[in-house]
Every structure is written in structure tokens, then in C-alpha cells.
Amino acid sequence: MGLHTLKISTIRAESGIVPRLTVRWLMIAAATIFAFWPTWNNLWRSTVDGTAIGFVFVLPLLCVVAAVGTDLRRGPELPIHDRETDKIVGGIGLLVALGMQALLMPRFGDNYELMHIDALAAWVFVWGAAVLMFGLRPVNRYWLIWLTPMVLSPLFYRTMAIELGGTRFDYSVIMVVVASTATTIAVSRNWRRGLVAFLISIALGTALVYYLSNQFPTVPLFLVQLFPAVGTALLVGAIFYLYQRRGKSLKPFDRPLRKPSTKTSDWTILFVFGVAILIALTPLPNADDIPISQGPPATADPRLVVPAGWSQISTEEFDWPQRYFGPTSTLTRQTIRADTPNPAWDALMRQRTVQMDVLQVRRAATLSVYPSSATYELQNARVSPTVQVELTRGVVAEMYTIVDDALLLTWSNLNFIWTRGDGAAQRVSLITVDNHEPDAYFPEPSPSMASNGGNSLALLLRGKSSTEDNESQYKDLGMLEALGRHIVEAQQW
């Protein structure tokens, strides 16, 4: 056995297979990190702030587990490859990644934090570079592994978690399912082994997530996503590996390594890094986030004090924010009406009605994932560009209008975000409608993935012009600005 191992080591040293593979992967990693450096910074900052996007850092680890298991059971293969096809397909992959970053992502700039198209573009970039470096046939041998991160996009991941309930357990147990799938891919020499591995991983991972979620409710979500998923995959994979190697050598590569079937030319390397430079020069969307202002001290009631000159007509509570923003989130709609008519606000001297929606969340970072326009079910709607409004006490708001072509109505929305002293944050939205009658219809705070998906499809196929209103007159800007200042001053500072 010792002599056999020595011969294998000699073969590796002479052929230089390990250094060649390592150098190629290091080049791909360096190009990917460089090209998407702003993306990695943004993703990590959002992860530290407590959002669920940290799962993108867990996926590559699970893919490595699945890839190692797949490689350990590779059988004999014919040395068939077409270098011209490799160059064409790999080049197309890199150009698709560039197109996603430079053309597609700006179209969805308002939903950048929700969709993170740049994370998908990074994975496409890695695939395209791998095809150029290693060849199409060797890369597509792991097609299921490459497909998994593309299917589990940030938008799809959030959608599944929200449909399950939106809790920390739901976000984390999805990663357990992905980890179980990766383990199944790694150990499934036959369907029985795969099924047993999947069931064991699901049971063990779910138990770990349940324990961490209940015993450590304040631990960062990223850790609950990471440790049960990766730990379960490694543990179950190791158990099956030891079982398979019982009575044999435990060394993973107890057979000669295959040489890469393709040669990497200087032009290939230059092309990969050239595309990486172009992607690095593409800026991330500027979502024009509202500055988070320092608000008044927290109160037991999340509702706001109605300023003088206005009366509260009714209030309504909504529970759906708990699935989107966390179990402690609340949303209250306060319907207020002006006590006296104002000719500047209505030529017919009608008393204006305003809906004041107060969304309170535990972490302010989650508000950037779902902008105010995404928290209303709006179909066939066109949104105007936002304008910033200086209120008082350092509070900065933004205003935009929404044109509903189906109802032939226009809504105005002025909203601002502030913290309330105990770490909680509130987004206050003041909504008016161009129908000034007392029974006028207002959009309900009820986000819908279906309607948002329809708007996203229109944006993809027809461009931003299909969802933008560039002729808005912001008629209620003066009224909402005055009301916003009065609301800020009416609170208990």
C-alpha cells in the first residue's frame, strides 16, 4: 500500500495536475471577486444588518460538498472535447453575465435589494469562466450543482420563506433542504443511498434549526442559516464516506488524477479578466434610499399622534408584515381628515382625507428590501421619479406618485423613515388620491408577489417606460409636505 501511494504521489508531482487545477480555480476566484467586489460588500453589509440575503454565502459551500462527492465517484470517461465549442459557450456565458449586470440590473434598480440580479450574474460568470478554463463537458458533468444557485435566486428564496411564514425558522429550514439536496447529490451512488441521506439530513438539520431558533432567538440569522445547513451536509457526507470506504484507504484521491482536458491560452485568461474589468466598471443601481432619521423616543403604541387641524376617522391593523419584516413588525393605517377646507388643497373646498400608514420593524435594513411602493398591490401602475422633501428636526422624506391606468386614479405617497430610540424603525407613509370625495378609494397595504411579478415581467419585456410616469405634476406635494412637518412636530420629543 505504501509503495502504491508513493507511485501516485510521484505521478501527481510529475504531471503537475494539482497545481494546474489550483491555478485555474484561483484565477476564476480572483476574477469573480474583482468583478463583483461592490456586490460582495453590499451583500455582506446587508447580512450583518440582519437581512436574509446571507444565504448566498452558504450556497457555494454546499455546492462544494456536492461537487466533491460527485467527483469521488467519477467513472471512466472518453477523452472527447471540442475546444471551439468550449470557447463559444464559455464566451457567451461571460457576455450573458455582463449583460445581466449592465443591462438587466438597472431596469430593476428599485428592487435591487429584493432581487439581487448581480448575485445571479456572478454565478453565471463563474460558470462561463469554468467552461473556458476546463471545457464544457467537464463543467456540465456537475450540471445539477450549477443549476441549484440559479433556481434558488434571492427573489425565489424570499418568496418561499414568506409563503412558509417568514420566520427565522422558515428562512433557515429552506437552507437545510438545499443542504440535504447537496448531500444527496454527493452520496447517491444509487437511489436508496440518496433517499436515506436526504431523510437523515432533513431530520438532523431541522432539529438543529429548531433548537437554535428557540434557544438563541437573538443570534444573527446568518448563523442559523449557515451552521445547521453546512454542518449537516458535512456530517452526513462524512458518515456515508466512511461507510463506503470501510476496510479501504480513507484517502479521498487514492487513484491518479486526470489531467485537465483543455489547455488554457493567454487569450482565454485575458478574455476572462477583460470581461471582469467591464463588469467592475458597471455601477450598482442607486436606489436613492431615504436617509434614516433620528425620531422621537419610543412609545407603547406604534401609532402616531395626529397633529392639530386634523382628526382621526378610523384605524386599521394589518398582520401581513410579520411574514415580510419579522414577527415583531406591525402596520397600522390611520385615516385622518382635515378639520377645515383649504382652497390650496381643493378648489371645491372639500376636506382632504389622508391615509397614514405606520410600519414598524425591528431592523431598519429590512425596509430597503421592500420599498414603500412594493408594499401595495398595484397592477398596471406607473410610478413617477421620487423627489426628496426636507421636513423638520432633520427628517428627510421622499415623494412619488402612482398612476393606476385600470382605475384611472393617481395616488401620491410621501414617506420617511426614522428610528424610535429602542432600535425599532418606522416607515411613515402619507397617501392621498386625486379623487377628493370622502369615500374615495385608496390602495390597501397588501403586497402581492403575483402583482409585483406582473409588473416585473412588464419591466423586463417593455423596459422602464412601461412602469414609469415621467409627466407627474406632484399636485399634493405642498399639502403632504406641510402635513409631514406637522406630524413630526406633534410627536413627543
Side-chain angles (χ1 to χ4, degrees):
M1 180 62 70
L3 181 61
H4 180 64
T5 304
L6 179 61
K7 290 182 178 180
I8 293 176
S9 301
T10 304
I11 293 175
R12 292 178 181 175
E14 292 178 353
S15 61
I17 296 175
V18 174
R20 289 170 61 185
L21 294 175
T22 302
V23 168
R24 294 187 188 188
W25 276 117
L26 286 177
M27 286 192 295
I28 294 175
T32 306
I33 293 173
F34 170 76
F36 296 91
W37 183 252
T39 297
W40 309 133
N41 280 331
N42 181 278
L43 290 172
W44 183 249
R45 185 176 63 253
S46 298
T47 300
V48 173
D49 289 340
T51 67
I53 196 61
F55 85 99
V56 299
F57 296 108
V58 182
L59 278 178
L61 301 178
L62 300 178
C63 289
V64 169
V65 172
V68 169
T70 302
D71 195 66
L72 288 176
R73 64 173 187 272
R74 283 173 55 187
E77 296 175 352
L78 296 176
I80 301 174
H81 63 273
D82 185 346
R83 192 54 183 156
E84 294 300 322
T85 302
D86 299 338
K87 293 179 180 179
I88 294 174
V89 176
I92 291 176
L94 294 182
L95 294 179
V96 168
L98 176 61
M100 293 174 66
Q101 189 80 358
L103 302 176
L104 187 60
M105 187 173 62
R107 286 195 175 191
F108 298 92
D110 294 337
N111 294 312
Y112 168 71
E113 295 289 344
L114 176 62
M115 303 182 70
H116 266 297
I117 294 176
D118 50 348
L120 294 177
W123 194 249
V124 175
F125 179 87
V126 173
W127 177 84
V131 171
L132 287 176
M133 295 286 188
F134 299 103
L136 181 61
R137 287 174 60 86
V139 169
N140 281 358
R141 184 181 302 115
Y142 309 90
W143 66 271
L144 190 58
I145 302 172
W146 290 107
L147 184 63
T148 300
M150 296 299 297
V151 173
L152 197 69
S153 64
L155 178 60
F156 185 61
Y157 174 68
R158 294 183 189 276
T159 302
M160 287 194 300
I162 288 172
E163 293 300 322
L164 290 175
T167 64
R168 292 159 56 88
F169 177 84
D170 298 319
Y171 280 104
S172 302
V173 81
I174 292 176
M175 296 310 302
V176 170
V177 175
V178 178
S180 302
T181 304
T183 306
T184 301
I185 296 173
V187 306
S188 58
R189 294 177 179 270
N190 55 64
W191 69 269
R192 291 183 179 86
R193 286 171 55 93
L195 179 60
V196 172
F198 183 81
L199 295 178
I200 293 176
S201 299
I202 285 288
L204 181 59
T206 303
L208 289 174
V209 170
Y210 180 81
Y211 175 78
L212 291 176
S213 300
N214 288 273
Q215 297 298 321
F216 305 96
T218 59
V219 73
L221 174 60
F222 174 64
L223 298 182
V224 186
Q225 293 172 310
L226 173 66
F227 287 114
V230 177
T232 299
L234 291 176
L235 178 60
V236 177
I239 292 174
F240 274 79
Y241 176 80
L242 294 175
Y243 178 79
Q244 180 66 26
R245 293 296 181 108
R246 64 191 187 281
K248 305 177 183 177
S249 173
L250 296 180
K251 293 183 179 181
F253 297 109
D254 55 352
R255 50 183 168 75
L257 297 177
R258 294 186 179 93
K259 294 182 179 180
S261 59
T262 60
K263 295 182 179 180
T264 302
S265 65
D266 294 338
W267 287 108
T268 299
I269 299 174
L270 289 175
F271 182 72
V272 170
F273 279 90
V275 175
I277 292 174
L278 293 178
I279 293 177
L281 295 175
T282 304
L284 297 181
N286 182 11
D288 296 328
D289 292 337
I290 313 173
I292 300 177
S293 310
Q294 183 65 41
T299 59
D301 190 349
R303 293 177 296 181
L304 300 184
V305 178
V306 178
W310 294 79
S311 298
Q312 182 169 285
I313 306 302
S314 63
T315 62
E316 185 177 1
E317 303 286 342
F318 299 89
D319 59 0
W320 61 259
Q322 298 177 6
R323 293 184 290 116
Y324 285 76
F325 301 97
T328 61
S329 304
T330 61
L331 174 59
T332 304
R333 163 162 285 192
Q334 298 173 245
T335 303
I336 61 177
R337 183 171 296 163
D339 294 337
T340 57
N342 188 326
W345 299 346
D346 184 81
L348 300 179
M349 297 299 288
R350 289 171 292 189
Q351 296 169 284
R352 294 298 303 273
T353 301
V354 177
Q355 302 291 355
M356 182 165 60
D357 296 336
V358 183
L359 172 62
Q360 181 165 302
V361 299
R362 181 183 175 187
R363 296 182 178 88
T366 58
L367 295 174
S368 62
V369 178
Y370 302 99
S372 59
S373 59
T375 56
Y376 298 90
E377 185 173 358
L378 301 171
Q379 296 182 351
N380 302 319
R382 291 180 289 115
V383 182
S384 73
T386 60
V387 294
Q388 284 202 348
V389 180
E390 299 283 345
L391 298 180
T392 183
R393 295 184 179 268
V395 178
V396 179
E398 72 170 7
M399 179 183 171
Y400 58 87
T401 62
I402 301 175
V403 178
D404 193 315
D405 294 325
L407 298 177
L408 301 178
L409 289 175
T410 300
W411 293 286
S412 298
N413 185 316
L414 183 142
N415 61 91
F416 57 87
I417 300 175
W418 60 16
T419 57
R420 295 302 302 268
D422 60 347
Q426 287 183 333
R427 180 163 65 202
V428 182
S429 301
L430 306 178
I431 303 174
T432 61
V433 64
D434 59 358
N435 180 3
H436 299 176
E437 296 296 333
D439 58 349
Y441 173 77
F442 285 85
E444 288 284 336
S446 175
S448 170
M449 287 297 179
S451 64
N452 292 338
N455 292 336
S456 298
L457 182 61
L459 186 60
L460 174 65
L461 298 178
R462 299 169 55 192
K464 298 191 71 172
S465 60
S466 64
T467 59
E468 279 190 350
D469 175 26
N470 295 316
E471 300 178 354
S472 177
Q473 300 179 8
Y474 305 98
K475 294 181 180 180
D476 286 337
L477 176 59
M479 182 187 75
L480 291 176
E481 181 179 359
L483 176 58
R485 290 175 177 173
H486 292 157
I487 289 175
V488 172
E489 293 294 343
Q491 309 313 305
Q492 298 177 3
W493 291 84

